[in-house]
Amino acid sequence: MPKKTIRDIELSNKRVLVRVDFNVPLDEKDGQMVITDSTRIQETLPTLNYLIEKGAKVILCSHLGRPKGQRDPKQSLAPVAPALSSLLGRPVEFSDETTGEVAKAKALALPPGGVLLLENTRFFAGEEKNDAELAKGLADLAEIFVNDAFGSAHRAHSSTAGVADYLPAVSGLLMEKELTYLHDELENPERPFVVILGGAKVNDKIEVINRLLEKADTIIIGGGMAYTFRKLVQGITIGKSLYKPEWEPIAQAAIDKAKKLGVNLLIPVDAMITDAFDFDAKKLGNTKYTGVNESIPEGWEGVDIGPESVKLFAAEIAKARTVIWNGPMGVFEIKESSKGSFDVAAAIAENSSAKTIIGGGDSVKAVKKAGLADKMTFISTGGGASLELLEGKILPGVACLQEK
Ligand code: AMP
C-alpha cells in the first residue's frame, strides 16, 4: 500500500491543490459564524508548513457541513481563512469561487509559500456524485493534487478522488500517518497484539472483527454488541440489553473463527445494568452491577462493563505490545455508564511499552474526555474512514494516489 507522499515529489514553485478536512463545527454569534473547535485545522499544519517551506503555492479545498449542493452562507469556509492565517502566521487568501476564472486568477497570483482557500466544495451538487466537470475545474487550478483529508477518504467525491484523474496525486503527512497506524503497522504488529472492539451493533462491527481475528492475539469485545456474545458463550439471559436474533449467527461465526485460529476472544463477565435508559435526556433509572457471569433480570439492560470485566481486560492490555481500540465499552456519553470506557482508556494509557492506537469515532471521544489523548501513540482523525480501513476495504481517496 505505500503511497507517494509530499516528501517524494518536487514542490518548489508548483501550484498544489490540497484536499483537507476543514469540516469544523461552527456556531452563530451576533450574526457571524464562529469556529467552536479548530482541531481539524491544526491537524493539517504539518502538511501545510511543509509545503510552504518547500516553496509550493498552496490551494486548499474542503467540504463543510451538508449544504446539499447549494450555496449557504452559514456553511461557508470563509471563517476558516483568518483562523488558519493566525495558526500559520501568514496571510491566507479566500476565494468565494471554488473553481473558474476568479479562483484561477487567484491561484496564478500566489507567490511561492502563498496560501489560498477555496469555498466549500459541497456548494456544488456534483461533489458527492464525483462529477468529472467539478473534478476538472479543481484540477485546472493546480499542477499537483495532495490528499490530506483522511476522514473523507472513504468517499469517492470530486475533491477526494475524481480530481486525481487529472493531476499527479500524492498523500499529505496526516493521511500518511493514518495509513501507517491503521494499516501498515497492523500488517506485522509487535506481539502480543490486542484488539479492543466496542460500540452498539454486532452487524456494524462484524467485518472489523473478522479481519482483525486474522491478525490479533487477543480480541476484546465490549459495548452493546457484547451481550449477544455473552448470551451465546455464558448462556445467561440478557434482559432488554441491546440484541437482535439475527446477530446470533454472526457472533457465533466469530466465536468459531477465534477458536479455529487460536485467538483469545475475551468478553465481559459483568455489567452495569439499569431499569430505564433515556439516551436523549442522558439519564439512567436505577443502576447496579451484576455479579460475575450473572444473568441480567427482565426489564433491565446492560449499559457498561463492570469492574471484573475491566480487571480481565486491563490484565490483557498490560501484556500487549500493540493495542488498537475502536468503539466504547458502554454508553460513555452518560456519566454513570462511562466508567468502563474510561477505565479501559486508562489501562491502554498505562501500557507505555506498547504502540497504542485509537482507531476512530467514539473511542477517540472517550479518550479525549478522559484526558488521556497525549498518552496514546496515535489517535485517528477518521470515523467511517477508520472503520472501513480496519475492515480491509479500499478507500477511494487513497486508491487514487500514486504508488511509491
Ligand atoms: P458505534 O458507533 O457502533 O461505535 O457505537 C457507539 C455507541 O454505542 C455509543 O453511542 C454508545 O453509547 C453505544 N453503546 C455502547 N454500549 C452500549 C450498550 N450497552 N447499550 C446501548 N448502547 C451502547
Side-chain angles (χ1 to χ4, degrees):
M1 137 118 54
K3 293 291 184 178
K4 269 195 194 163
T5 79
I6 50 174
R7 277 193 248 96
D8 299 316
I9 56 166
E10 179 56 45
L11 295 161
S12 173
N13 256 319
K14 293 274 197 316
R15 274 173 289 121
V16 180
L17 176 74
V18 192
R19 175 51 156 104
V20 285
D21 179 3
F22 283 167
N23 183 25
V24 290
L26 295 174
D27 212 7
E28 193 167 356
K29 259 197 197 130
D30 306 325
Q32 287 215 316
M33 301 310 288
V34 184
I35 299 167
T36 55
D37 180 354
S38 64
T39 308
R40 285 186 168 153
I41 305 175
Q42 288 166 30
E43 304 272 13
T44 65
L45 294 180
T47 295
L48 302 188
N49 281 321
Y50 183 89
L51 294 171
I52 290 165
E53 207 177 282
K54 295 289 171 190
K57 303 166 180 177
V58 182
I59 305 156
L60 301 169
C61 67
S62 174
H63 79 279
L64 192 157
R66 295 173 186 275
K68 306 215 173 92
Q70 280 177 4
R71 235 169 224 285
D72 171 6
K74 290 195 174 163
Q75 301 190 67
S76 169
L77 275 164
V80 174
L84 176 63
S85 172
S86 69
L87 286 168
L88 286 174
R90 58 175 54 233
V92 174
E93 171 106 30
F94 182 71
S95 170
D96 284 333
E97 304 295 328
T98 308
T99 59
E101 291 304 314
V102 177
K104 181 80 182 259
K106 289 193 177 194
L108 287 172
L110 282 173
V115 183
L116 169 68
L117 173 62
L118 305 172
E119 184 56 287
N120 196 343
T121 52
R122 283 200 193 161
F123 282 180
F124 302 88
E127 163 73 330
E128 295 186 62
K129 297 181 189 134
N130 197 5
D131 172 63
E133 283 313 304
L134 179 57
K136 272 187 215 161
L138 287 166
D140 184 49
L141 305 175
E143 296 153 282
I144 294 166
F145 174 60
V146 172
N147 195 356
D148 211 25
F150 175 72
S152 301
H154 58 315
R155 313 241 185 255
H157 293 172
S158 297
S159 73
T160 61
V163 62
D165 288 344
Y166 310 101
L167 288 177
V170 300
S171 88
L173 303 179
L174 175 62
M175 175 73 87
E176 182 193 28
K177 238 171 39 175
E178 295 275 1
L179 298 176
T180 301
Y181 284 108
L182 293 183
H183 182 274
D184 304 352
E185 288 278 339
L186 307 184
E187 288 303 300
N188 280 305
E190 247 194 273
R191 297 183 180 279
F193 175 27
V194 174
V195 174
I196 308 157
L197 296 172
K201 299 173 184 162
V202 175
N203 53 329
D204 281 353
K205 294 289 159 86
I206 192 60
E207 288 184 58
V208 182
I209 297 177
N210 267 327
R211 174 152 182 279
L212 293 180
L213 267 171
E214 286 160 18
K215 311 208 178 281
D217 299 293
T218 295
I219 293 205
I220 293 172
I221 306 251
M225 67 173 171
Y227 299 94
T228 308
F229 286 85
R230 294 195 62 195
K231 184 171 182 290
L232 288 167
V233 175
Q234 295 157 354
I236 59 167
T237 58
I238 56 173
K240 55 173 183 175
S241 302
L242 222 50
Y243 164 83
K244 284 199 175 134
E246 62 264 33
W247 293 348
E248 270 201 32
I250 303 176
Q252 188 59 54
I255 293 164
D256 296 342
K257 186 168 174 178
K259 211 174 272 169
K260 194 170 142 221
L261 296 174
V263 176
N264 181 19
L265 186 71
L266 274 186
I267 60 175
V269 291
D270 58 353
M272 165 180 271
I273 58 175
T274 183
D275 58 358
F277 171 25
D278 183 340
F279 188 83
D280 295 327
K282 300 274 176 287
K283 267 199 176 136
L284 301 178
N286 296 303
T287 60
K288 60 182 175 188
Y289 284 111
T290 66
V292 170
N293 287 346
E294 195 176 78
S295 282
I296 297 170
E298 268 311 301
W300 291 68
E301 66 189 291
V303 283
D304 196 11
I305 58 172
E308 292 306 316
S309 308
V310 169
K311 263 191 227 161
L312 188 73
F313 295 174
E316 210 58 34
I317 292 166
K319 289 186 265 174
R321 299 304 298 260
T322 307
V323 180
I324 183 158
W325 180 24
N326 179 293
M329 296 291 103
V331 186
F332 76 103
E333 297 94 335
I334 301 177
K335 191 164 177 276
E336 293 102 305
S337 49
S338 63
K339 189 168 168 25
S341 297
F342 289 173
D343 285 351
V344 162
I348 299 171
E350 259 165 47
N351 185 340
S352 53
S353 49
K355 258 185 205 141
T356 52
I357 303 162
I358 310 303
D362 280 333
S363 17
V364 174
K365 280 188 210 150
V367 165
K368 288 188 175 164
K369 239 172 137 180
L372 295 168
D374 60 344
K375 295 272 186 341
M376 306 300 175
T377 308
F378 181 69
I379 296 187
S380 175
T381 59
S386 327
L387 197 62
E388 290 196 20
L389 193 57
L390 292 175
E391 285 170 351
K393 289 204 179 120
I394 290 170
L395 311 185
V398 177
C400 69
L401 306 177
Q402 291 183 348
E403 301 281 332
K404 249 197 192 167

